[in-house]
Amino acid sequence: MNIILGLTLGIGVFLIWLSCWEQPAKEPRKNTFDSKIRLLLHQADVHRVSAKMFYLISICFALFLGLVIFALTALYNLALLSTCLGCIAPWMMIRQRAKKRVALMRELWPDVVDHLRSAIRAGLSLPEALMQLQYRGPEELRPSFEQFSADYRSTGEFVASLNRLKERLSDPTADNIVEALKVTREVGGTDLSKLLGTLSEFLRENARTRSELEARQSWTINAAKLAVAAPWVVLCLMATQPGTVHIYNSFSGFMVMLSGLIISIIAYRLMLKLGELPEEKRVLV
């Protein structure tokens, strides 16, 4: 009894002592996968689709793909695997779209820098030069600079408007340009025109080199896609025979298809990884 009383008293004293100290507020845990999906959607210029909506679209697409495969082949094992694979198909399509848009933006940024340099040499201030890009910049980037112009006119905060522009673009090259403009705005200097000229030359040289490497790499990627798709096309053609349907609808047939799917995914990812060019990383995000 004395032991229980002593423990109770000790716990009470500890709780009183603990209440005298301020507990730090816990930061909400960030879902890194959600942030990656949102970044991909921004890079693919799909701003109206949220991460949750993207998950819903992926599930609906997976179910639709499974039903189509089952209707064409009558192989429910293949339909099940197709449904699982269909969950990641929208992610692959968005990723491919994002890569194409980043490559397109890489070709446009030197023109943006040239327009900025010309406007600054003509006597315009840095915010005015950026706002002029909604009229004189590349067609694909005009909506983003139009939003920057409206944002800057409504708030008058140049750095905050630049940060929001950087978030909308979600592009590694845009990050470098925005950070250079922020430093120039805060620190000042008279060599901005020279800096922009050097940056334009560097961006053009980088885009030219990457375009040549990607053109030489394209045959490897096409061969990988053909090598992965060919066995499954043959399987769908074989499904027109009743004996094939009976064999592949068994457990042994399911294990054969599952093993083939795993090997196909590993081989495809390995081939892409070996020939992949290093991606530019976003800075100060």
Side-chain angles (χ1 to χ4, degrees):
M1 187 67 183
N2 292 333
I3 295 176
I4 297 176
L5 183 62
L7 288 174
T8 305
L9 181 62
I11 293 173
V13 173
F14 174 75
L15 291 175
I16 293 173
W17 174 81
L18 189 63
S19 64
C20 296
W21 299 93
E22 183 179 357
Q23 297 293 328
K26 293 183 179 180
E27 296 183 358
R29 299 178 67 180
K30 296 182 179 179
N31 193 330
T32 55
F33 191 74
D34 283 356
S35 61
K36 288 181 179 179
I37 290 295
R38 283 193 292 268
L39 177 60
L40 274 179
L41 292 173
H42 278 291
Q43 289 180 340
D45 197 23
V46 183
H47 300 286
R48 296 184 178 181
V49 178
S50 62
K52 293 182 179 179
M53 189 181 297
F54 181 78
Y55 298 149
L56 181 60
I57 293 173
S58 300
I59 294 173
C60 293
F61 180 80
L63 294 175
F64 175 76
L65 180 62
L67 290 174
V68 170
I69 293 297
F70 181 74
L72 293 176
T73 64
L75 294 173
Y76 53 79
N77 285 334
L78 181 60
L80 177 61
L81 294 177
S82 301
T83 302
C84 297
L85 190 63
C87 291
I88 63 173
W91 179 80
M92 295 175 65
M93 289 187 288
I94 287 293
R95 191 167 182 266
Q96 188 66 24
R97 177 184 169 94
K99 282 187 174 181
K100 289 182 179 180
R101 185 170 180 270
V102 169
L104 175 63
M105 294 297 106
R106 193 183 300 120
E107 301 288 338
L108 298 178
W109 282 117
D111 295 334
V112 172
V113 176
D114 288 341
H115 283 298
L116 278 176
R117 185 187 182 194
S118 300
I120 290 172
R121 294 178 66 178
L124 296 179
S125 64
L126 192 53
E128 292 173 343
L130 283 169
M131 287 189 290
Q132 286 295 317
L133 290 173
Q134 64 180 315
Y135 308 112
R136 302 180 181 277
E139 196 70 33
E140 291 80 0
L141 292 173
R142 288 184 183 182
S144 297
F145 286 103
E146 185 178 356
Q147 294 180 15
F148 165 81
S149 178
D151 191 9
Y152 179 70
R153 286 196 181 100
S154 61
T155 62
E157 298 178 355
F158 180 70
V159 175
S161 300
L162 272 182
N163 288 332
R164 285 186 282 270
L165 174 65
K166 177 180 172 181
E167 182 65 25
R168 282 192 295 268
L169 293 171
S170 300
D171 184 81
T173 307
D175 293 343
N176 294 325
I177 295 175
V178 167
E179 293 302 326
L181 295 178
K182 284 163 62 177
V183 171
T184 303
R185 176 75 171 182
E186 295 173 2
V187 178
T190 58
D191 295 332
L192 179 58
S193 178
K194 183 178 179 181
L195 171 66
L196 292 176
T198 304
L199 179 60
S200 175
E201 294 177 4
F202 170 76
L203 292 176
R204 279 195 169 87
E205 185 65 27
N206 181 49
R208 188 181 305 113
T209 303
R210 290 187 69 94
S211 297
E212 292 177 359
L213 292 175
E214 288 173 354
R216 295 179 181 180
Q217 185 194 35
S218 61
W219 69 270
T220 305
I221 297 176
N222 293 331
K225 292 179 179 178
L226 180 61
V228 169
W232 301 100
V233 173
V234 172
L235 178 60
C236 291
L237 294 176
M238 291 173 59
T240 56
Q241 302 178 2
T244 304
V245 174
H246 177 72
I247 292 173
Y248 280 99
N249 274 337
S250 63
F251 179 76
S252 300
F254 174 76
M255 295 305 297
V256 169
M257 286 190 291
L258 180 61
S259 302
L261 179 63
I262 294 173
I263 294 173
S264 298
I265 292 175
I266 293 175
Y268 180 72
R269 292 297 302 168
L270 182 61
M271 186 176 291
L272 291 185
K273 196 67 178 177
L274 291 175
E276 187 179 17
L277 294 176
E279 295 184 1
E280 298 179 80
K281 302 295 183 181
R282 297 191 64 194
V283 296
L284 299 175
V285 292

